[in-house]
Amino acid sequence: MKIDVVSIFPEYLAGLQLSLIGKAVDQGLLDLSVHDLRDFTFDRHNTVDDSPYGGGAGMVMKAEPWALALEHILGGKSPETVRGEEHTVSGNSAEGEPAGNGKPILIVPSPAGPVFNQRIAEELSNADHLVFACGRYEGIDQRVIDWSAQHFDLRPMSIGDYVLNGGEVASMVMIEAVSRLIPGVIGNPESLTEESHEDGLLEYPIYTKPASWRDRDVPEILLSGNHGAIARWRRDWRLERTAEIRPDLLAELHDLDKHDRSVLDRFESGDESVKE
Ligand code: 6GU
């Protein structure tokens, strides 16, 4: 997968060179490029923002540097070449055509977008080319967002109901969630299947040695060697924890069997809990 990120703080994204994502880049599983938006400005001060038409607080990111940066990503031309040219992108130049079918996906991190989740991460992990446009200030001139929809599959995306200063951290969150789903990025793919959110339930608690620590014992069933009973205990735990902490997730599950239902009924009536 190819991932491009555009930001006025490219150093922010340096963290992506670490750990599993960095290794995936080294192994060629991920082709990650971070672009400095200021490389696509002409003036002495490398201006990327200006005051909003109609008034209001804060500054707005100017359209042209964004268009040049995105054209650079589409066409593979250097910022220097882009600056010297008439700024049009031919829709079907061999160079500009993204790998795979369809347009590259342009993710514009914004608290005004739909909320990113594991389903979206899975969907995006199948894409050939993702581009992240990290805005700062009050946001980006709407015209370049509208313009970009001709060349990209445009996806505004929030990471939750709170406000960040810019799209960098949000992009890193999404890049990490997406790239760990690409085959080969995670050493043990089995660890993907039993995670929180993977099947809509939160995780069961985990323990390691010693069996007794500061007067706290590992739940006995985990020492029993009875794998069927352990699997059932873990599932019951996940159902209860999800009912307790994230009832909104539970409401979306449609593949609960009779035993699952009985565990939840018992829990909701306050009768009994596997967690005690
Ligand atoms: Cl994606 N961007 C910003 N600036 N703030 C956010 C966000 C994104 N998601 C939640 N808050």
Side-chain angles (χ1 to χ4, degrees):
M1 176 189 288
K2 172 116 184 71
I3 298 181
D4 288 283
V5 186
V6 184
S7 166
I8 57 168
F9 295 121
E11 313 82 46
Y12 239 114
L13 286 301
L16 291 174
Q17 290 162 25
L18 304 172
S19 190
L20 288 174
I21 309 296
K23 220 163 106 189
V25 172
D26 292 342
Q27 291 172 341
L29 295 169
L30 261 186
D31 176 4
L32 176 69
S33 308
V34 181
H35 309 266
D36 188 345
L37 183 68
R38 292 196 197 277
D39 288 346
F40 301 91
T41 55
F42 300 88
D43 64 309
R44 228 158 25 98
H45 303 290
N46 300 115
T47 310
V48 293
D49 64 329
D50 209 333
S51 53
Y53 277 116
M59 299 290 271
V60 177
M61 292 191 110
K62 294 165 72 63
E64 187 62 9
W66 278 108
L68 295 180
L70 295 175
E71 284 175 336
H72 165 61
I73 288 165
L74 285 169
K77 297 176 192 127
S78 71
E80 291 71 28
T81 318
V82 160
R83 288 176 197 219
E85 278 180 5
E86 286 295 315
H87 305 303
T88 50
V89 173
S90 65
N92 51 10
S93 78
E95 252 194 341
E97 201 62 6
N101 38 11
K103 301 168 178 173
I105 296 175
L106 178 62
I107 295 160
V108 183
S110 159
V115 179
F116 182 76
N117 61 21
Q118 191 66 21
R119 302 286 88 74
I120 297 174
E122 277 157 17
E123 180 204 338
L124 295 178
S125 73
N126 294 314
D128 296 315
H129 190 184
L130 301 181
V131 181
F132 291 83
C134 304
R136 286 259 148 187
Y137 315 114
E138 299 308 306
I140 305 173
D141 189 311
Q142 186 60 38
R143 290 168 297 180
V144 72
I145 306 284
D146 297 342
W147 165 89
S148 71
Q150 298 168 55
H151 308 287
F152 295 90
D153 175 2
L154 179 61
R155 304 283 294 269
M157 201 72 72
S158 168
I159 62 161
D161 295 339
Y162 39 78
V163 181
L164 304 170
N165 288 333
E168 283 77 9
V169 170
S171 292
M172 290 176 77
V173 166
M174 291 185 268
I175 290 167
E176 180 158 324
V178 168
S179 48
R180 62 194 297 286
L181 299 176
I182 296 170
V185 171
I186 296 274
N188 177 9
E190 276 175 24
S191 63
L192 289 175
T193 60
E194 286 203 345
E195 290 171 324
S196 289
H197 296 292
E198 197 52 48
D199 59 4
L201 290 173
L202 303 185
E203 261 177 282
Y204 54 80
I206 52 170
Y207 305 87
T208 188
K209 289 177 268 302
S212 188
W213 174 81
R214 299 195 182 187
D215 291 333
R216 291 163 188 269
D217 296 337
V218 169
E220 224 175 283
I221 193 163
L222 299 179
L223 311 175
S224 71
N226 182 342
H227 297 298
I230 291 172
R232 188 65 251 176
W233 180 86
R234 285 177 166 167
R235 180 152 181 97
D236 292 356
W237 224 105
R238 300 181 70 204
L239 288 161
E240 285 190 12
R241 181 182 267 187
T242 309
E244 188 174 36
I245 300 175
R246 293 294 304 275
D248 58 308
L249 293 179
L250 216 49
E252 301 209 349
L253 287 182
H254 303 295
D255 55 351
L256 299 178
D257 65 17
K258 251 174 71 182
H259 184 106
D260 292 339
R261 297 262 171 226
S262 75
V263 168
L264 287 171
D265 289 345
R266 210 175 53 201
F267 178 71
E268 270 150 32
S269 67
D271 279 357
E272 217 184 315
S273 166
V274 288
K275 289 151 75 181
E276 283 152 15

